[in-house]
Amino acid sequence: MASGVQVADEVCRIFYDMKVRKCSTPEEIKKRKKAVIFCLSADKKCIIVEEGKEILVGDVGVTITDPFKHFVGMLPEKDCRYALYDASFETKESRKEELMFFLW
């Protein structure tokens, strides 16, 4: 059963870009998104990118010390959002990276 809510092409492109890791130059890596927040359009018919609600990989360690804390702080207290977060963490065996989807 479909909800009737569309997903903007830009949202799909961002998801694909975050999911697929291409060999990149250091400058391209800095421009890669670490996190991005999506919301419903004003008419509530389409999921769109929320303007200004993203964290770039190049910002981490420069203007943002704790990217996950900053990401959570960008989420509204009393409104719904969708978000992607590119998580990096270490286990006993290795370093891991997972793309996480949030329904807030």
Side-chain angles (χ1 to χ4, degrees):
M1 179 163 32
S3 67
V5 176
Q6 302 294 314
V7 178
D9 290 340
E10 183 181 13
V11 171
C12 294
R13 183 189 53 76
I14 288 171
F15 171 75
Y16 180 78
D17 288 348
M18 289 178 76
K19 182 178 142 189
V20 176
R21 297 181 188 277
K22 301 173 189 168
C23 292
S24 304
T25 66
E27 284 304 311
E28 290 173 328
I29 290 171
K30 288 179 184 178
K31 294 177 185 175
R32 185 181 297 153
K33 291 177 183 7
K34 174 79 174 165
V36 64
I37 298 176
F38 310 106
C39 62
L40 288 174
S41 59
D43 62 5
K44 309 260 189 250
K45 292 185 178 182
C46 189
I47 297 171
I48 60 173
V49 177
E50 187 169 5
E51 196 68 37
K53 298 288 184 160
E54 66 180 24
I55 299 171
L56 300 178
V57 171
D59 294 338
V60 177
V62 178
T63 59
I64 298 171
T65 55
D66 185 339
F68 188 73
K69 188 174 184 178
H70 186 82
F71 164 71
V72 171
M74 292 188 323
L75 295 166
E77 247 183 75
K78 297 182 180 183
D79 204 358
C80 72
R81 291 293 184 271
Y82 309 94
L84 284 173
Y85 184 82
D86 192 2
S88 302
F89 56 95
E90 291 185 26
T91 65
K92 289 181 181 179
E93 296 81 33
S94 65
R95 180 170 160 72
K96 303 270 186 177
E97 292 184 358
E98 297 288 336
L99 186 58
M100 301 168 68
F101 177 77
F102 289 83
L103 174 59
W104 178 263

